[in-house]
Amino acid sequence: MEDVAKLAGVSISTVSHVVNETRPVAQSTLERVRAAIEETGYTGNAIARSLVTGGTMSLGVAMSLLANPHLAQLIHAIEAEATAAGYQVLLGDTLDSADGERAAVRRLQARRVDGMLLTPAPGDTSTLEQLERTGVPAVLVDRVSHKIKLDQVGAENIQSTSALVSHLADAGHRRIAFISGVEWMTASEERTLGYRLGLGRAGLRWDSNLVAGGGAAIDDGVLAMRRLLTVPERPTAVITGNGAMTAGAYREARAHGLQIGRDLAIAGHDEVDWAEVVQPGITTMAHPVDEIGRTAVRLLLERLKDRERPPETVLLPPVLNHRGSCGCPVDTPDAASAAGFAEL
């Protein structure tokens, strides 16, 4: 900073005001300081500044780099919103495991991040409970849990799953199966509730044989579909809990010689990259990934300003992408389904 001040012919405090934008300076002075910064390659000392301000202007993001199919899109949205607010983003890979999550959170805390965005790993919730107990500013992203009192943002699940059931029922299906997600996740519970709600609205009876416990991976979808296809009166349509299980269910159905959209309808949560590549295309409930990421950052910044406010949960409505895998014409909107989903 001394070198910049000498080169620009100003005081060190003036350089500080330009770098930290703490006080307006004359335009000519501003230009000289910026030119000196460019010439010297000065970047400032974020660590030293954090010791003075008590903050690093950085946000930690703890997520699985492999388990989240929308990670790149989500990180892009998070970083764009954080950068606009003057924050940088540090990423830690949770490996989608409790131990990996614990290690990632510790690494980010060691970097003195001001707050944290976290997609919880399946199973052990001790890390989340510790964040809640110690008052660390944190927001759960995508995977929400009503058992944890932290700010959270994710997709709405009950009405959107009900709408998928209605969509399939309106296409004539009466044996509609459901592959649920990870048991402990609130989203899985809500989608199961939405499935039952949709059956009731369509006048269909709940049948436990048509519900297969899934998980979060392709193999979970394979195993769940394999079991559903052994039911004496097998389903004519299947709803999946996430994109990975959609891939597994699709693969297993094809392995049994079933033609998707004719012999078996498939529709699922999460938009997947290959949804429009296969024939027929896969009908999905696309989650608003960009808005989830941006909303999560806004919630965290609000938490940093007011740490005493009650935790807030924001659920954003998905969008139905209607394609041929559900077995109905793709060029004709399903009016009843659209009307049902409009309740969101």
Side-chain angles (χ1 to χ4, degrees):
M1 193 175 284
E2 288 182 6
D3 293 339
V4 171
K6 289 177 182 178
L7 190 60
V10 298
S11 66
I12 293 178
S13 62
T14 298
V15 176
S16 176
H17 288 312
V18 171
V19 171
N20 298 307
E21 299 181 348
T22 51
R23 193 185 71 187
V25 298
Q27 184 63 31
S28 59
T29 302
L30 178 65
E31 292 174 357
R32 291 205 311 276
V33 172
R34 286 178 174 172
I37 288 173
E38 183 70 22
E39 184 173 339
T40 59
Y42 172 71
T43 59
N45 190 326
I47 296 176
R49 186 162 55 248
S50 73
L51 296 176
V52 176
T53 64
T56 60
M57 295 300 289
S58 62
L59 305 178
V61 177
M63 297 178 178
S64 170
L65 302 185
L66 296 177
N68 190 332
H70 309 295
L71 181 71
Q73 184 181 357
L74 187 59
I75 291 297
H76 177 76
I78 288 173
E79 190 162 31
E81 192 71 20
T83 300
Y87 285 80
Q88 64 174 328
V89 171
L90 303 179
L91 179 63
D93 187 2
T94 67
L95 305 175
D96 211 31
S97 70
D99 289 341
E101 177 180 85
R102 189 177 302 109
V105 168
R106 286 177 178 171
R107 288 195 301 270
L108 291 170
Q109 288 182 310
R111 298 292 296 273
R112 297 174 59 87
V113 295
D114 296 336
M116 198 168 302
L117 301 168
L118 177 71
T119 297
D124 187 7
T125 60
S126 60
T127 300
L128 305 183
E129 292 167 357
Q130 182 182 21
L131 292 174
E132 177 187 340
R133 185 171 58 254
T134 56
V136 174
V139 177
L140 303 189
V141 184
D142 196 30
R143 296 176 179 173
V144 304
S145 173
H146 297 320
K147 299 174 183 177
I148 303 297
K149 293 182 174 61
L150 292 172
D151 291 315
Q152 311 182 49
V153 57
E156 193 284 331
N157 293 296
I158 297 175
Q159 296 296 340
S160 57
T161 307
S162 174
L164 279 177
V165 176
S166 297
H167 181 83
L168 293 169
D170 290 343
H173 294 284
R174 290 297 175 263
R175 299 283 290 172
I176 303 173
F178 178 62
I179 298 177
S180 62
V182 179
E183 289 186 3
W184 68 270
M185 286 175 54
T186 299
S188 299
E189 298 173 355
E190 291 177 343
R191 288 169 192 167
T192 300
L193 178 58
Y195 169 68
R196 299 192 69 153
L197 178 64
L199 291 178
R201 287 174 171 171
L204 302 178
R205 183 174 59 86
W206 161 271
D207 183 348
S208 59
N209 290 324
L210 294 180
V211 178
I218 292 177
D219 287 345
D220 296 318
V222 169
L223 295 175
M225 178 63 86
R226 188 173 299 166
R227 189 189 76 74
L228 289 172
L229 294 179
T230 64
V231 175
E233 188 182 350
R234 70 169 180 80
T236 62
V238 176
I239 294 173
T240 59
N242 68 24
M245 290 193 296
T246 300
Y250 184 96
R251 187 172 74 187
E252 184 65 13
R254 292 294 300 271
H256 279 73
L258 300 178
Q259 183 172 327
I260 307 302
R262 187 190 69 183
D263 304 321
L264 180 71
I266 293 181
H269 276 272
D270 286 350
E271 176 69 348
V272 290
D273 293 339
W274 50 273
E276 292 184 304
V277 176
V278 296
Q279 290 295 327
I282 304 298
T283 294
T284 63
M285 274 294 180
H287 294 183
V289 178
D290 285 340
E291 191 57 29
I292 287 175
R294 291 179 179 276
T295 301
V297 173
R298 290 194 288 267
L299 277 179
L300 184 53
L301 297 181
E302 290 173 10
R303 174 61 57 191
L304 291 174
K305 294 178 183 177
D306 182 6
R307 303 199 179 197
E308 301 302 321
R309 68 175 180 79
E312 183 178 354
T313 297
V314 178
L315 300 178
L316 301 170
V319 175
L320 177 63
N321 285 334
H322 182 206
R323 302 186 180 100
S325 69
C326 52
C328 47
V330 295
D331 57 346
T332 304
D334 188 289
S337 175
F341 195 59
E343 296 175 11
L344 291 172

